[in-house]
Amino acid sequence: GNSVTQMEGPVTLSEEAFLTINCTYTATGYPSLFWYVQYPGEGLQLLLKATKADDKGSNKGFEATYRKETTSFHLEKGSVQVSDSAVYFCALKEDNFNKFYFGSGTKLNVKP
Amino acid sequence: SQTIHQWPATLVQPVGSPLSLECTVEGTSNPNLYWYRQAAGRGLQLLFYSVGIGQISSEVPQNLSASRPQDRQFILSSKKLLLSDSGFYLCASSRGGYTFGSGTRLTVV
């Protein structure tokens, strides 16, 4: 079956620190991989995505590379800001279906 | 682009009371619609999806039901809420792209 595992939070960092949120997946086919972000009081927003192995998704300074050999899609940012404080969800979607499988979410707290 | 309206944002309901959460979609027609739930400390889980009016597929057995009376309207219901129904409920639409609503935080007391 399909599943996504991501590191538990909360993750607390100081401003300008380096961020890594680990995500690994299990899939029966060839999924697309996503990172969604949920700011306080808001719905989920697509942060970045990658549709095939070795693709790198990037947006707002965040990056993640689709690693088929390690079934991973780790989220990274070189220098976090207070405004990056949110909950981050890793997710996969099989190509033949329009259903998402989400990780449990990782809460990021960035302190000034 | 499609926009999803979901209400209310927060809801506190007693055990045994009924539930009705509504989701409407603008900016597209004939979308696939989805209800997800996030229980405390867990990821988002797909509850129901619908590919058209009156067509509902349930992903997990539970105390909830869904209906799609109109093309762009998706309703999540329960006749009698349980404590375990507490969580964060998200509606989503996919038609060329996937869009989430802002969610409803339901607390059953």
Side-chain angles (χ1 to χ4, degrees), chain B residues 22-86:
Chain B
E22 188 165 344
C23 168
T24 59
V25 183
E26 289 183 357
T28 188
S29 59
N30 196 29
N32 290 343
L33 297 175
Y34 308 81
W35 277 111
Y36 288 86
R37 175 175 63 195
Q38 182 185 24
R42 303 182 65 180
L44 283 162
Q45 182 182 38
L46 179 63
L47 301 178
F48 300 96
Y49 70 94
S50 171
V51 299
I53 296 173
Q55 301 180 62
I56 308 294
S57 295
S58 174
E59 288 292 293
V60 292
Q62 60 203 299
N63 182 43
L64 302 168
S65 62
S67 62
R68 186 169 177 177
Q70 300 180 42
D71 180 45
R72 289 174 288 179
Q73 184 184 29
F74 203 27
I75 298 172
L76 184 69
S77 304
S78 173
K79 293 182 179 178
K80 290 184 178 182
L81 284 169
L82 306 173
L83 288 174
S84 57
D85 292 323
S86 295

Short mmCIF file of all heavy atoms in Angstrom, two decimals, chain B residues 22-86:
data_model
loop_
_atom_site.label_atom_id
_atom_site.label_comp_id
_atom_site.label_asym_id
_atom_site.label_seq_id
_atom_site.Cartn_x
_atom_site.Cartn_y
_atom_site.Cartn_z
N GLU B 22 -20.35 21.70 5.33
CA GLU B 22 -20.58 21.94 3.91
C GLU B 22 -19.35 22.49 3.22
O GLU B 22 -18.59 23.28 3.78
CB GLU B 22 -21.76 22.89 3.72
CG GLU B 22 -22.19 23.06 2.27
CD GLU B 22 -23.55 23.71 2.13
OE1 GLU B 22 -24.28 23.77 3.14
OE2 GLU B 22 -23.88 24.15 1.02
N CYS B 23 -19.19 22.08 1.99
CA CYS B 23 -18.07 22.51 1.17
C CYS B 23 -18.63 22.85 -0.20
O CYS B 23 -19.36 22.06 -0.79
CB CYS B 23 -17.05 21.38 1.08
SG CYS B 23 -15.77 21.59 -0.16
N THR B 24 -18.30 24.04 -0.68
CA THR B 24 -18.72 24.41 -2.03
C THR B 24 -17.51 24.86 -2.84
O THR B 24 -16.55 25.41 -2.29
CB THR B 24 -19.78 25.52 -2.03
OG1 THR B 24 -19.24 26.67 -1.37
CG2 THR B 24 -21.03 25.07 -1.32
N VAL B 25 -17.58 24.64 -4.12
CA VAL B 25 -16.46 24.92 -5.02
C VAL B 25 -16.87 25.96 -6.04
O VAL B 25 -17.97 25.90 -6.60
CB VAL B 25 -15.99 23.63 -5.73
CG1 VAL B 25 -14.78 23.92 -6.60
CG2 VAL B 25 -15.69 22.55 -4.72
N GLU B 26 -15.99 26.89 -6.29
CA GLU B 26 -16.21 27.90 -7.34
C GLU B 26 -15.09 27.81 -8.37
O GLU B 26 -13.98 27.38 -8.07
CB GLU B 26 -16.21 29.31 -6.73
CG GLU B 26 -17.43 29.63 -5.90
CD GLU B 26 -17.40 31.08 -5.41
OE1 GLU B 26 -16.40 31.79 -5.69
OE2 GLU B 26 -18.35 31.50 -4.74
N GLY B 27 -15.40 28.23 -9.59
CA GLY B 27 -14.36 28.38 -10.59
C GLY B 27 -14.08 27.15 -11.41
O GLY B 27 -13.13 27.15 -12.20
N THR B 28 -14.90 26.11 -11.24
CA THR B 28 -14.70 24.92 -12.03
C THR B 28 -16.02 24.15 -12.09
O THR B 28 -16.95 24.46 -11.35
CB THR B 28 -13.59 24.03 -11.45
OG1 THR B 28 -13.31 22.96 -12.35
CG2 THR B 28 -14.01 23.44 -10.10
N SER B 29 -16.08 23.17 -12.95
CA SER B 29 -17.27 22.32 -13.00
C SER B 29 -16.83 20.87 -13.05
O SER B 29 -15.72 20.54 -13.50
CB SER B 29 -18.12 22.65 -14.24
OG SER B 29 -17.36 22.47 -15.42
N ASN B 30 -17.72 20.01 -12.54
CA ASN B 30 -17.47 18.57 -12.51
C ASN B 30 -16.14 18.20 -11.88
O ASN B 30 -15.37 17.39 -12.42
CB ASN B 30 -17.54 17.98 -13.93
CG ASN B 30 -17.69 16.48 -13.91
OD1 ASN B 30 -18.24 15.93 -12.98
ND2 ASN B 30 -17.15 15.82 -14.92
N PRO B 31 -15.83 18.79 -10.72
CA PRO B 31 -14.57 18.42 -10.06
C PRO B 31 -14.73 17.09 -9.32
O PRO B 31 -15.83 16.68 -8.98
CB PRO B 31 -14.35 19.55 -9.07
CG PRO B 31 -15.75 19.93 -8.68
CD PRO B 31 -16.59 19.76 -9.92
N ASN B 32 -13.61 16.43 -9.05
CA ASN B 32 -13.60 15.38 -8.04
C ASN B 32 -13.50 16.07 -6.68
O ASN B 32 -12.73 17.02 -6.52
CB ASN B 32 -12.39 14.45 -8.22
CG ASN B 32 -12.50 13.60 -9.47
OD1 ASN B 32 -13.58 13.44 -10.04
ND2 ASN B 32 -11.38 13.06 -9.91
N LEU B 33 -14.28 15.62 -5.73
CA LEU B 33 -14.30 16.25 -4.41
C LEU B 33 -13.90 15.24 -3.35
O LEU B 33 -14.20 14.04 -3.46
CB LEU B 33 -15.69 16.83 -4.11
CG LEU B 33 -16.14 17.93 -5.06
CD1 LEU B 33 -17.58 18.35 -4.73
CD2 LEU B 33 -15.23 19.14 -4.96
N TYR B 34 -13.28 15.73 -2.28
CA TYR B 34 -12.69 14.86 -1.26
C TYR B 34 -12.94 15.45 0.12
O TYR B 34 -12.92 16.66 0.31
CB TYR B 34 -11.17 14.75 -1.45
CG TYR B 34 -10.74 14.36 -2.84
CD1 TYR B 34 -10.66 15.31 -3.85
CD2 TYR B 34 -10.41 13.04 -3.15
CE1 TYR B 34 -10.27 14.96 -5.13
CE2 TYR B 34 -10.02 12.68 -4.43
CZ TYR B 34 -9.95 13.65 -5.42
OH TYR B 34 -9.56 13.30 -6.69
N TRP B 35 -13.16 14.57 1.09
CA TRP B 35 -13.14 14.95 2.51
C TRP B 35 -11.97 14.22 3.17
O TRP B 35 -11.86 13.00 3.08
CB TRP B 35 -14.43 14.56 3.22
CG TRP B 35 -15.54 15.53 3.06
CD1 TRP B 35 -16.70 15.36 2.37
CD2 TRP B 35 -15.64 16.84 3.64
NE1 TRP B 35 -17.50 16.47 2.46
CE2 TRP B 35 -16.87 17.40 3.23
CE3 TRP B 35 -14.79 17.59 4.45
CZ2 TRP B 35 -17.28 18.67 3.62
CZ3 TRP B 35 -15.20 18.86 4.83
CH2 TRP B 35 -16.43 19.39 4.42
N TYR B 36 -11.11 15.00 3.86
CA TYR B 36 -9.99 14.46 4.63
C TYR B 36 -10.21 14.81 6.10
O TYR B 36 -10.83 15.82 6.42
CB TYR B 36 -8.66 15.07 4.19
CG TYR B 36 -8.16 14.62 2.84
CD1 TYR B 36 -8.56 15.26 1.67
CD2 TYR B 36 -7.24 13.58 2.74
CE1 TYR B 36 -8.08 14.85 0.44
CE2 TYR B 36 -6.75 13.18 1.51
CZ TYR B 36 -7.17 13.83 0.37
OH TYR B 36 -6.68 13.43 -0.85
N ARG B 37 -9.63 13.99 6.94
CA ARG B 37 -9.65 14.30 8.36
C ARG B 37 -8.25 14.13 8.94
O ARG B 37 -7.54 13.18 8.60
CB ARG B 37 -10.61 13.39 9.14
CG ARG B 37 -10.56 13.62 10.67
CD ARG B 37 -11.59 12.81 11.40
NE ARG B 37 -11.36 11.38 11.24
CZ ARG B 37 -12.26 10.45 11.54
NH1 ARG B 37 -13.45 10.81 12.00
NH2 ARG B 37 -11.99 9.18 11.39
N GLN B 38 -7.89 15.04 9.84
CA GLN B 38 -6.65 14.92 10.58
C GLN B 38 -7.00 14.78 12.05
O GLN B 38 -7.46 15.75 12.67
CB GLN B 38 -5.75 16.12 10.35
CG GLN B 38 -4.42 16.01 11.07
CD GLN B 38 -3.59 17.27 10.93
OE1 GLN B 38 -4.12 18.35 10.69
NE2 GLN B 38 -2.29 17.13 11.08
N ALA B 39 -6.80 13.62 12.60
CA ALA B 39 -6.98 13.44 14.04
C ALA B 39 -5.71 13.90 14.74
O ALA B 39 -4.65 14.01 14.13
CB ALA B 39 -7.27 11.97 14.35
N ALA B 40 -5.82 14.17 16.04
CA ALA B 40 -4.70 14.71 16.81
C ALA B 40 -3.48 13.80 16.67
O ALA B 40 -3.55 12.59 16.90
CB ALA B 40 -5.09 14.85 18.26
N GLY B 41 -2.34 14.39 16.27
CA GLY B 41 -1.09 13.65 16.18
C GLY B 41 -0.99 12.72 15.00
O GLY B 41 -0.04 11.93 14.91
N ARG B 42 -1.91 12.82 14.08
CA ARG B 42 -1.90 11.92 12.93
C ARG B 42 -1.96 12.72 11.64
O ARG B 42 -2.26 13.90 11.63
CB ARG B 42 -3.08 10.94 13.01
CG ARG B 42 -3.09 10.14 14.30
CD ARG B 42 -4.22 9.15 14.33
NE ARG B 42 -4.07 8.13 13.29
CZ ARG B 42 -4.95 7.15 13.12
NH1 ARG B 42 -6.02 7.06 13.88
NH2 ARG B 42 -4.76 6.26 12.17
N GLY B 43 -1.68 12.05 10.54
CA GLY B 43 -1.72 12.71 9.24
C GLY B 43 -3.12 12.83 8.71
O GLY B 43 -4.09 12.33 9.30
N LEU B 44 -3.24 13.49 7.59
CA LEU B 44 -4.53 13.62 6.94
C LEU B 44 -4.94 12.28 6.33
O LEU B 44 -4.17 11.65 5.62
CB LEU B 44 -4.45 14.66 5.83
CG LEU B 44 -4.48 16.11 6.29
CD1 LEU B 44 -3.97 17.01 5.20
CD2 LEU B 44 -5.88 16.51 6.70
N GLN B 45 -6.14 11.89 6.60
CA GLN B 45 -6.65 10.62 6.10
C GLN B 45 -7.84 10.89 5.19
O GLN B 45 -8.75 11.63 5.57
CB GLN B 45 -7.06 9.74 7.27
CG GLN B 45 -7.58 8.36 6.88
CD GLN B 45 -8.03 7.56 8.08
OE1 GLN B 45 -8.62 8.09 9.01
NE2 GLN B 45 -7.74 6.27 8.06
N LEU B 46 -7.85 10.27 4.03
CA LEU B 46 -8.97 10.43 3.12
C LEU B 46 -10.17 9.67 3.65
O LEU B 46 -10.09 8.48 3.95
CB LEU B 46 -8.59 9.92 1.73
CG LEU B 46 -9.68 10.00 0.66
CD1 LEU B 46 -10.06 11.45 0.40
CD2 LEU B 46 -9.21 9.33 -0.62
N LEU B 47 -11.31 10.38 3.77
CA LEU B 47 -12.53 9.76 4.27
C LEU B 47 -13.46 9.38 3.11
O LEU B 47 -13.96 8.26 3.06
CB LEU B 47 -13.27 10.72 5.20
CG LEU B 47 -12.52 11.21 6.43
CD1 LEU B 47 -13.39 12.20 7.20
CD2 LEU B 47 -12.13 10.05 7.31
N PHE B 48 -13.73 10.33 2.25
CA PHE B 48 -14.65 10.12 1.14
C PHE B 48 -14.14 10.85 -0.10
O PHE B 48 -13.47 11.86 0.01
CB PHE B 48 -16.05 10.68 1.46
CG PHE B 48 -16.71 10.09 2.65
CD1 PHE B 48 -16.63 10.74 3.89
CD2 PHE B 48 -17.43 8.91 2.56
CE1 PHE B 48 -17.25 10.20 5.01
CE2 PHE B 48 -18.04 8.37 3.68
CZ PHE B 48 -17.95 9.02 4.91
N TYR B 49 -14.51 10.32 -1.26
CA TYR B 49 -14.31 11.08 -2.47
C TYR B 49 -15.50 10.86 -3.40
O TYR B 49 -16.21 9.86 -3.30
CB TYR B 49 -12.98 10.76 -3.16
CG TYR B 49 -12.88 9.40 -3.79
CD1 TYR B 49 -13.16 9.21 -5.14
CD2 TYR B 49 -12.44 8.31 -3.05
CE1 TYR B 49 -13.04 7.96 -5.72
CE2 TYR B 49 -12.31 7.08 -3.61
CZ TYR B 49 -12.60 6.90 -4.96
OH TYR B 49 -12.47 5.66 -5.53
N SER B 50 -15.68 11.83 -4.30
CA SER B 50 -16.83 11.80 -5.19
C SER B 50 -16.42 12.26 -6.58
O SER B 50 -15.78 13.30 -6.73
CB SER B 50 -17.93 12.73 -4.65
OG SER B 50 -18.96 12.89 -5.61
N VAL B 51 -16.79 11.48 -7.58
CA VAL B 51 -16.46 11.85 -8.96
C VAL B 51 -17.64 12.49 -9.68
O VAL B 51 -17.50 12.92 -10.83
CB VAL B 51 -15.95 10.63 -9.75
CG1 VAL B 51 -14.68 10.08 -9.11
CG2 VAL B 51 -17.02 9.55 -9.82
N GLY B 52 -18.80 12.58 -8.99
CA GLY B 52 -19.95 13.21 -9.62
C GLY B 52 -21.14 13.26 -8.68
O GLY B 52 -21.10 12.70 -7.58
N ILE B 53 -22.19 13.93 -9.11
CA ILE B 53 -23.39 14.07 -8.28
C ILE B 53 -23.91 12.70 -7.86
O ILE B 53 -24.09 11.81 -8.71
CB ILE B 53 -24.48 14.84 -9.04
CG1 ILE B 53 -24.02 16.28 -9.32
CG2 ILE B 53 -25.79 14.87 -8.24
CD1 ILE B 53 -24.97 17.05 -10.21
N GLY B 54 -24.15 12.55 -6.57
CA GLY B 54 -24.70 11.32 -6.04
C GLY B 54 -23.73 10.16 -5.96
O GLY B 54 -24.09 9.07 -5.52
N GLN B 55 -22.48 10.35 -6.38
CA GLN B 55 -21.48 9.28 -6.38
C GLN B 55 -20.50 9.49 -5.24
O GLN B 55 -19.75 10.47 -5.24
CB GLN B 55 -20.73 9.24 -7.71
CG GLN B 55 -21.63 9.02 -8.92
CD GLN B 55 -20.83 9.00 -10.20
OE1 GLN B 55 -19.97 8.14 -10.40
NE2 GLN B 55 -21.10 9.94 -11.08
N ILE B 56 -20.54 8.59 -4.27
CA ILE B 56 -19.69 8.71 -3.09
C ILE B 56 -18.95 7.40 -2.88
O ILE B 56 -19.55 6.33 -2.93
CB ILE B 56 -20.53 8.99 -1.82
CG1 ILE B 56 -21.46 10.18 -2.03
CG2 ILE B 56 -19.62 9.19 -0.62
CD1 ILE B 56 -20.76 11.49 -2.23
N SER B 57 -17.64 7.52 -2.64
CA SER B 57 -16.84 6.36 -2.28
C SER B 57 -16.27 6.59 -0.90
O SER B 57 -15.75 7.68 -0.61
CB SER B 57 -15.71 6.14 -3.28
OG SER B 57 -16.21 5.83 -4.54
N SER B 58 -16.38 5.59 -0.05
CA SER B 58 -15.87 5.68 1.31
C SER B 58 -14.55 4.94 1.41
O SER B 58 -14.44 3.81 0.95
CB SER B 58 -16.88 5.08 2.29
OG SER B 58 -16.34 5.05 3.60
N GLU B 59 -13.57 5.59 2.00
CA GLU B 59 -12.25 4.99 2.10
C GLU B 59 -12.07 4.19 3.38
O GLU B 59 -11.34 3.21 3.40
CB GLU B 59 -11.17 6.08 2.05
CG GLU B 59 -10.99 6.69 0.69
CD GLU B 59 -10.41 5.71 -0.30
OE1 GLU B 59 -9.25 5.31 -0.14
OE2 GLU B 59 -11.13 5.33 -1.25
N VAL B 60 -12.70 4.62 4.45
CA VAL B 60 -12.55 3.94 5.74
C VAL B 60 -13.91 3.84 6.41
O VAL B 60 -14.72 4.75 6.31
CB VAL B 60 -11.56 4.69 6.66
CG1 VAL B 60 -10.16 4.61 6.11
CG2 VAL B 60 -11.97 6.12 6.87
N PRO B 61 -14.16 2.74 7.09
CA PRO B 61 -15.43 2.62 7.83
C PRO B 61 -15.44 3.58 9.01
O PRO B 61 -14.44 3.78 9.66
CB PRO B 61 -15.41 1.16 8.31
CG PRO B 61 -13.98 0.78 8.33
CD PRO B 61 -13.32 1.54 7.22
N GLN B 62 -16.58 4.21 9.24
CA GLN B 62 -16.63 5.21 10.29
C GLN B 62 -18.06 5.62 10.57
O GLN B 62 -19.00 5.10 9.97
CB GLN B 62 -15.85 6.43 9.82
CG GLN B 62 -16.44 7.02 8.54
CD GLN B 62 -15.37 7.82 7.82
OE1 GLN B 62 -14.87 8.77 8.37
NE2 GLN B 62 -15.03 7.39 6.63
N ASN B 63 -18.15 6.59 11.45
CA ASN B 63 -19.43 7.09 11.91
C ASN B 63 -19.96 8.22 11.04
O ASN B 63 -20.96 8.84 11.37
CB ASN B 63 -19.23 7.59 13.36
CG ASN B 63 -20.49 8.09 13.98
OD1 ASN B 63 -21.54 7.48 13.85
ND2 ASN B 63 -20.41 9.23 14.66
N LEU B 64 -19.32 8.49 9.94
CA LEU B 64 -19.67 9.65 9.12
C LEU B 64 -20.20 9.20 7.77
O LEU B 64 -19.97 8.07 7.34
CB LEU B 64 -18.42 10.52 8.91
CG LEU B 64 -17.74 11.04 10.16
CD1 LEU B 64 -16.38 11.62 9.83
CD2 LEU B 64 -18.60 12.07 10.85
N SER B 65 -20.89 10.11 7.10
CA SER B 65 -21.36 9.87 5.74
C SER B 65 -21.15 11.13 4.92
O SER B 65 -20.94 12.21 5.46
CB SER B 65 -22.83 9.46 5.73
OG SER B 65 -23.63 10.51 6.26
N ALA B 66 -21.19 10.99 3.62
CA ALA B 66 -21.01 12.14 2.73
C ALA B 66 -22.09 12.12 1.66
O ALA B 66 -22.59 11.05 1.30
CB ALA B 66 -19.62 12.14 2.10
N SER B 67 -22.41 13.30 1.16
CA SER B 67 -23.37 13.40 0.07
C SER B 67 -22.95 14.50 -0.88
O SER B 67 -22.26 15.44 -0.49
CB SER B 67 -24.78 13.67 0.61
OG SER B 67 -24.81 14.92 1.30
N ARG B 68 -23.36 14.36 -2.11
CA ARG B 68 -23.05 15.36 -3.14
C ARG B 68 -24.35 15.65 -3.89
O ARG B 68 -24.63 15.07 -4.94
CB ARG B 68 -21.97 14.87 -4.09
CG ARG B 68 -21.52 15.95 -5.07
CD ARG B 68 -20.28 15.51 -5.80
NE ARG B 68 -19.87 16.47 -6.79
CZ ARG B 68 -18.77 16.35 -7.53
NH1 ARG B 68 -17.99 15.28 -7.37
NH2 ARG B 68 -18.45 17.27 -8.42
N PRO B 69 -25.15 16.57 -3.35
CA PRO B 69 -26.44 16.86 -3.96
C PRO B 69 -26.34 17.73 -5.22
O PRO B 69 -27.25 17.69 -6.06
CB PRO B 69 -27.18 17.61 -2.85
CG PRO B 69 -26.10 18.21 -2.01
CD PRO B 69 -24.95 17.25 -2.07
N GLN B 70 -25.26 18.47 -5.34
CA GLN B 70 -25.04 19.30 -6.53
C GLN B 70 -23.60 19.14 -6.99
O GLN B 70 -22.75 18.66 -6.23
CB GLN B 70 -25.33 20.78 -6.21
CG GLN B 70 -26.74 21.07 -5.75
CD GLN B 70 -26.94 22.54 -5.47
OE1 GLN B 70 -26.48 23.40 -6.22
NE2 GLN B 70 -27.64 22.83 -4.38
N ASP B 71 -23.33 19.56 -8.20
CA ASP B 71 -22.02 19.35 -8.80
C ASP B 71 -20.89 19.91 -7.95
O ASP B 71 -19.83 19.32 -7.83
CB ASP B 71 -21.99 19.98 -10.20
CG ASP B 71 -20.64 19.79 -10.88
OD1 ASP B 71 -20.10 18.65 -10.82
OD2 ASP B 71 -20.12 20.76 -11.45
N ARG B 72 -21.14 21.09 -7.34
CA ARG B 72 -20.07 21.77 -6.62
C ARG B 72 -20.35 21.88 -5.13
O ARG B 72 -19.90 22.81 -4.47
CB ARG B 72 -19.83 23.15 -7.26
CG ARG B 72 -19.18 23.06 -8.63
CD ARG B 72 -19.08 24.39 -9.32
NE ARG B 72 -20.37 24.87 -9.77
CZ ARG B 72 -20.55 26.03 -10.39
NH1 ARG B 72 -19.54 26.86 -10.57
NH2 ARG B 72 -21.74 26.39 -10.80
N GLN B 73 -21.11 20.93 -4.62
CA GLN B 73 -21.45 20.93 -3.20
C GLN B 73 -21.17 19.54 -2.63
O GLN B 73 -21.64 18.52 -3.18
CB GLN B 73 -22.92 21.30 -3.00
CG GLN B 73 -23.32 21.41 -1.55
CD GLN B 73 -24.81 21.69 -1.40
OE1 GLN B 73 -25.61 21.29 -2.27
NE2 GLN B 73 -25.19 22.36 -0.33
N PHE B 74 -20.45 19.52 -1.52
CA PHE B 74 -20.07 18.25 -0.90
C PHE B 74 -20.30 18.39 0.59
O PHE B 74 -19.81 19.32 1.21
CB PHE B 74 -18.59 17.95 -1.20
CG PHE B 74 -18.19 16.51 -1.11
CD1 PHE B 74 -19.09 15.49 -1.32
CD2 PHE B 74 -16.87 16.16 -0.84
CE1 PHE B 74 -18.72 14.16 -1.27
CE2 PHE B 74 -16.47 14.83 -0.78
CZ PHE B 74 -17.39 13.84 -1.00
N ILE B 75 -21.09 17.47 1.16
CA ILE B 75 -21.51 17.60 2.55
C ILE B 75 -21.04 16.39 3.35
O ILE B 75 -21.18 15.24 2.90
CB ILE B 75 -23.05 17.72 2.64
CG1 ILE B 75 -23.50 18.99 1.90
CG2 ILE B 75 -23.50 17.77 4.09
CD1 ILE B 75 -24.99 19.11 1.75
N LEU B 76 -20.51 16.67 4.51
CA LEU B 76 -20.10 15.62 5.45
C LEU B 76 -21.06 15.63 6.62
O LEU B 76 -21.33 16.68 7.20
CB LEU B 76 -18.67 15.90 5.94
CG LEU B 76 -18.05 14.83 6.85
CD1 LEU B 76 -17.77 13.56 6.07
CD2 LEU B 76 -16.76 15.36 7.46
N SER B 77 -21.58 14.45 6.98
CA SER B 77 -22.64 14.39 7.99
C SER B 77 -22.41 13.27 8.98
O SER B 77 -21.67 12.31 8.72
CB SER B 77 -23.99 14.15 7.32
OG SER B 77 -24.27 15.12 6.35
N SER B 78 -23.08 13.43 10.12
CA SER B 78 -23.17 12.35 11.09
C SER B 78 -24.50 12.47 11.80
O SER B 78 -24.97 13.58 12.08
CB SER B 78 -22.03 12.42 12.10
OG SER B 78 -22.22 11.47 13.13
N LYS B 79 -25.12 11.35 12.12
CA LYS B 79 -26.38 11.38 12.87
C LYS B 79 -26.11 11.54 14.36
O LYS B 79 -26.86 12.19 15.07
CB LYS B 79 -27.17 10.10 12.61
CG LYS B 79 -27.68 9.97 11.18
CD LYS B 79 -28.49 8.71 11.00
CE LYS B 79 -29.01 8.61 9.56
NZ LYS B 79 -29.78 7.35 9.35
N LYS B 80 -25.02 10.91 14.83
CA LYS B 80 -24.67 11.00 16.26
C LYS B 80 -23.16 11.03 16.39
O LYS B 80 -22.49 10.02 16.14
CB LYS B 80 -25.22 9.79 17.03
CG LYS B 80 -26.71 9.76 17.19
CD LYS B 80 -27.13 8.58 18.07
CE LYS B 80 -28.64 8.57 18.26
NZ LYS B 80 -29.06 7.44 19.15
N LEU B 81 -22.64 12.16 16.81
CA LEU B 81 -21.18 12.31 16.92
C LEU B 81 -20.61 11.51 18.08
O LEU B 81 -21.24 11.37 19.15
CB LEU B 81 -20.81 13.78 17.10
CG LEU B 81 -20.89 14.65 15.85
CD1 LEU B 81 -20.76 16.12 16.22
CD2 LEU B 81 -19.81 14.24 14.86
N LEU B 82 -19.40 11.00 17.85
CA LEU B 82 -18.63 10.34 18.88
C LEU B 82 -17.43 11.21 19.26
O LEU B 82 -17.02 12.07 18.48
CB LEU B 82 -18.10 8.98 18.36
CG LEU B 82 -19.13 8.01 17.79
CD1 LEU B 82 -18.43 6.82 17.16
CD2 LEU B 82 -20.11 7.56 18.86
N LEU B 83 -16.88 10.96 20.43
CA LEU B 83 -15.68 11.70 20.83
C LEU B 83 -14.56 11.54 19.81
O LEU B 83 -13.82 12.49 19.51
CB LEU B 83 -15.19 11.23 22.20
CG LEU B 83 -16.02 11.64 23.42
CD1 LEU B 83 -15.46 10.96 24.67
CD2 LEU B 83 -16.03 13.16 23.59
N SER B 84 -14.47 10.36 19.23
CA SER B 84 -13.40 10.06 18.28
C SER B 84 -13.58 10.78 16.94
O SER B 84 -12.70 10.72 16.08
CB SER B 84 -13.32 8.55 18.03
OG SER B 84 -14.56 8.07 17.56
N ASP B 85 -14.70 11.45 16.75
CA ASP B 85 -14.90 12.22 15.52
C ASP B 85 -14.20 13.58 15.58
O ASP B 85 -14.16 14.30 14.57
CB ASP B 85 -16.40 12.43 15.25
CG ASP B 85 -17.10 11.13 14.90
OD1 ASP B 85 -16.49 10.28 14.21
OD2 ASP B 85 -18.26 10.96 15.32
N SER B 86 -13.68 13.92 16.74
CA SER B 86 -12.95 15.20 16.84
C SER B 86 -11.76 15.20 15.90
O SER B 86 -11.09 14.19 15.73
CB SER B 86 -12.46 15.40 18.28
OG SER B 86 -13.53 15.57 19.17
#
